[in-house]
Amino acid sequence: MAAEDRSSHVAYRAVLLAAGLLLFGLLFRQLVTLLLAILITIIFAIPLAAAAGRLERYKIPRALGALVALLGGVTVLALVIYLLIPPFVDQSEQFADDVPRIVTDLEKTYADIAGEDPGEVGDPVQDFVERYTENPQRLIGPITEIGLNVAGILAALVLILITAYYMAVRPEPLVGGLVSLFPPRRREHIRYVLDRLRKSWIGWMEGVAIDMLITFVLLYLGLTIIGLDFAIFFAVLSALLVVVPYFGAIAGAIPPVLFALTDSPGKALITLLVYVLVQQLESSVTIPVVMAQRTRMHPAMIAIGVVVVGQLFGFVGLFVAVPILSLLVISVEEFWVKPIEEAEVERRREAIELPSGELG
C-alpha cells in the first residue's frame, strides 16, 4: 500500500510539473513582450532622468526639466525626419517603381552567368507575381495587417514615452522600492549595481547615435562617389540597422549590392567594397572604441550575444540586445564573480594571519 501511495504521489507531481511547463510555455511569449516593453521604457526614462537632474541644478523643477528633455529629443528626431524623410521617401518610391526593371536585369545577369534562358529564370518570379495580381486579397490582407501593426507600434511608443516621462520625474520611489526587496546589508551594493547599469545603458545609447551618424555619412559619401542611385535610401536603411551590432551591417549591404548587380558585376563589387570598408571601420573602431568601452563588453561577446538574444526574444529583442547583454554581464560580475573573488581573498588573508597568531 505504501508503494502504491508513493507511485500515486510521484505521478501527481509529474502531472503538476507537466502542467506547469505547459502553462509557462504558453505565457512565455507574453512575458517576453512585457519584459521587453518594460526594458525599452526604462531605457527611454534613463536619459530623461539624467537631463532632468542636470537642469534641476539650475533651479528648474524636475517635472519641467524632464518635459524639456522629452520635447527636445522629439524635436531633434522630427528635424532629422524632416531633413531625411522627404528624399528618403522619394528615392523609396523611385526604387519601388524600378523593382520590375531590377528583377528583369537580375534575371538577365543570372542567366548570363548560369547559361540559362532569361525567360526560364523569370518564370518562378512571374508566377509569384501573378498569384497576387490575380487575387488581390492575398496582397491586401498582409498590407492591412502591417498597417494595424504600425498603428499598434505607434500607440505603444506613445504609451512608453509617457510612462518614461513619469518615471524620470520621480525615479526614487521606483528605485527605492526595488532596493527594498533586498536585505538591508545588500541595499548599498544594489544601488551601486543599478548605477552601473544606468551608465552602461547611457553609454550604449550614445554609442548607437555615434555609430548611426558615422555609418550614414560614410555610406552616403561612398555610394555617391561610385555613382550608385538611391544613395540616401540605402544609407538611411543601413544606419537604422546598425542598432543590431555586426549583423545589421550585413543585412543593410544586401539590397544595394543586388541593385548594383543590375548595372554590372563590377559595380556590385565596388558597392560591396564600400560596405566592407564601412563595416570594417564599424567592427574595428566604432564598436570596440565607442560601444564596447562604454558598455564594458568584449566585441566578440556582443556578436555572440546578439544571436542568443535574437533566438530568445525574437526580432524586437535584437534592437535592445546590447542592454540585455550588459544586464546579464553586470549581474554575473556583481553577484557571482566578485563574491567568489572576495571569498578567495578573505581565505588567503586568513591563511596568512593564522600562522602569525599561533606564533604569538
Side-chain angles (χ1 to χ4, degrees):
M1 181 68 73
E4 291 180 359
D5 291 340
R6 274 198 305 271
S7 299
S8 300
H9 183 65
V10 171
Y12 177 72
R13 292 179 62 183
V15 171
L16 287 180
L17 179 60
L21 291 176
L22 177 61
L23 181 61
F24 177 78
L26 294 174
L27 295 178
F28 179 75
R29 180 56 57 186
Q30 285 72 19
L31 291 174
V32 166
T33 303
L34 177 61
L35 291 175
L36 286 177
I38 294 173
L39 176 61
I40 293 172
T41 304
I42 294 173
I43 290 174
F44 276 112
I46 286 176
L48 294 180
R54 291 184 179 181
L55 293 176
E56 201 172 17
R57 300 171 188 171
Y58 298 96
K59 308 303 181 182
I60 297 177
R62 191 173 185 86
L64 180 59
L67 181 61
V68 169
L70 178 60
L71 294 178
V74 172
T75 302
V76 171
L77 180 61
L79 181 61
V80 172
I81 292 175
Y82 174 77
L83 294 175
L84 293 180
I85 289 302
F88 177 77
V89 171
D90 291 341
Q91 292 196 8
S92 301
E93 293 175 351
Q94 295 174 18
F95 182 75
D97 293 338
D98 275 1
V99 166
R101 179 189 63 81
I102 294 171
V103 172
T104 302
D105 292 342
L106 284 174
E107 291 171 1
K108 293 179 180 178
T109 302
Y110 175 79
D112 292 339
I113 296 174
E116 298 181 9
D117 182 19
E120 295 179 359
V121 176
D123 286 342
V125 178
Q126 187 69 24
D127 293 340
F128 177 80
V129 173
E130 287 179 354
R131 283 207 309 265
Y132 286 94
T133 55
E134 293 175 358
N135 189 4
Q137 287 79 7
R138 293 182 178 179
L139 183 62
I140 294 174
I143 291 176
T144 304
E145 184 179 351
I146 291 172
L148 292 175
N149 287 338
V150 170
I153 290 172
L154 291 176
L157 182 60
V158 171
L159 179 61
I160 286 174
L161 289 177
I162 293 174
T163 306
Y165 167 75
Y166 284 110
M167 290 176 66
V169 171
R170 294 191 62 200
E172 188 53 39
L174 297 174
V175 175
L178 178 61
V179 172
S180 65
L181 297 176
F182 296 86
R185 61 185 180 83
R186 302 284 296 174
R187 290 175 183 174
E188 191 64 30
H189 181 231
I190 297 300
R191 287 187 178 274
Y192 169 75
V193 173
L194 293 176
D195 187 61
R196 276 196 64 185
L197 282 173
R198 180 184 65 83
K199 292 178 179 178
S200 176
W201 288 353
I202 289 179
W204 168 74
M205 285 183 278
E206 292 173 349
V208 167
I210 295 172
D211 197 7
M212 280 185 171
L213 178 62
I214 293 175
T215 299
F216 170 75
V217 171
L218 292 180
L219 284 179
Y220 175 70
L221 292 176
L223 297 179
T224 301
I225 290 173
I226 66 175
L228 188 71
D229 294 332
F230 313 115
I232 290 182
F233 172 74
F234 292 130
V236 170
L237 178 64
S238 299
L240 292 175
L241 288 174
V242 300
V243 178
V244 183
Y246 300 106
F247 304 100
I250 297 173
I254 296 175
V257 171
L258 290 177
F259 174 71
L261 188 60
T262 63
D263 189 331
S264 67
K267 191 68 165 290
L269 185 61
I270 295 174
T271 303
L272 179 61
L273 180 61
V274 170
Y275 270 83
V276 168
L277 291 176
V278 174
Q279 198 275 336
Q280 285 299 312
L281 177 66
E282 179 188 10
S283 61
S284 301
V285 179
T286 307
I287 290 180
V289 175
V290 177
M291 187 82 71
Q293 284 190 2
R294 292 168 185 260
T295 59
R296 305 298 181 187
M297 287 191 296
H298 194 278
M301 180 182 295
I302 295 176
I304 297 173
V306 166
V307 177
V308 176
V309 170
Q311 292 295 321
L312 292 176
F313 295 93
F315 178 74
V316 178
L318 293 174
F319 294 94
V320 288
V322 175
I324 293 174
L325 292 173
S326 65
L327 171 62
L328 294 176
V329 169
I330 291 175
S331 298
V332 169
E333 286 181 357
E334 294 293 337
F335 299 114
W336 186 23
V337 176
K338 284 188 177 180
I340 292 177
E341 292 177 347
E342 291 173 357
E344 180 64 19
V345 170
E346 181 66 19
R347 186 188 67 79
R348 291 181 179 179
R349 187 181 65 82
E350 291 177 353
I352 293 174
E353 292 179 350
L354 184 60
S356 61
E358 290 177 349
L359 289 175

